Amino acid sequence: MTGPRRANERLFALFLLGVLAITPPLLSIFNNPTRILGLPALYFYLFACWAALILLVALAVRRRALPDESVGPSGGTAGPPASLAAEEPRDA
């Protein structure tokens, strides 16, 4: 498995991980009066999960992006194909 199918599977797995991370059994573990960096543990847990999921999705999408075929080796756009560039302009 390569290409878009594997990337779609990664994104689906991240979705399931996100759903699992915010289920009530896990949330009840962090729903206590302790504070982490001045925040209640539950809020810290939710924001940490949120940030981690954003980072993981960004990495998965970045891997998914394929190089654009119209970009030349110098980073600029590659002009028209040689067959079109050799033709003379026609009057309409």
Side-chain angles (χ1 to χ4, degrees):
M1 261 184 270
T2 60
R5 183 173 177 187
R6 187 166 185 121
N8 287 341
E9 289 176 358
R10 283 188 191 121
L11 290 174
F12 185 70
L14 286 172
F15 167 74
L16 291 178
L17 179 68
V19 168
L20 180 67
I22 60 169
T23 56
L26 279 178
L27 290 178
S28 64
I29 293 171
F30 295 97
N31 192 15
N32 55 40
T34 60
R35 293 186 173 266
I36 302 170
L37 300 174
L39 292 172
L42 180 62
Y43 295 169
F44 182 81
Y45 171 75
L46 287 173
F47 282 111
C49 286
W50 181 43
L53 284 172
I54 289 173
L55 177 67
L56 292 172
V57 167
L59 289 173
V61 170
R62 189 173 193 185
R63 281 187 186 174
R64 183 179 185 180
L66 298 174
D68 190 11
E69 293 176 5
S70 65
V71 176
S74 64
T77 58
S83 61
L84 294 177
E87 292 181 16
E88 302 239 351
R90 299 180 202 164
D91 292 331

